[in-house]
Amino acid sequence: MTLDQLRIGRKSHIISVNGKGALRDRLLDMGLTPGTEVMVRRMAPFGDPIEILLRGYELTLRLEDAKNIEVERVKL
């Protein structure tokens, strides 16, 4: 599953960061690296952007960028 599909309050780990060139480099530079735990904190009223918590800080991402980040499926 991808980060944009993770529900509010759920935690997961990043499996891989897709995309090419500058987009992928920017996501990796922001700390979105494989193995990192992420949690979706909240969403904007219309669902875009989303705010995530990782490595002790909050990061806001567009849904289009979040679709490039594969995370582990959350077990209920």
Side-chain angles (χ1 to χ4, degrees):
M1 79 186 287
T2 55
L3 186 57
D4 65 304
Q5 299 168 327
L6 198 60
R7 296 184 143 198
I8 295 172
R10 300 283 181 170
K11 292 182 181 179
S12 188
H13 288 90
I14 296 174
I15 296 173
S16 67
V17 178
N18 302 320
K20 295 186 179 184
L23 170 64
R24 185 173 189 278
D25 291 343
R26 184 174 58 106
L27 293 172
L28 292 170
D29 287 345
M30 289 188 288
L32 295 160
T33 56
T36 302
E37 183 179 84
V38 294
M39 181 186 80
V40 176
R41 288 207 53 210
R42 58 184 160 192
M43 290 185 161
F46 294 105
D48 191 15
I50 62 172
E51 182 179 290
I52 62 172
L53 179 65
L54 75 151
R55 300 180 185 263
Y57 73 95
E58 297 155 351
L59 178 65
T60 302
L61 286 176
R62 296 179 303 166
L63 283 182
E64 201 60 37
D65 293 339
K67 290 178 182 179
N68 289 304
I69 301 164
E70 290 185 45
V71 296
E72 294 177 345
R73 287 212 174 269
V74 178
K75 296 177 183 135
L76 300 176

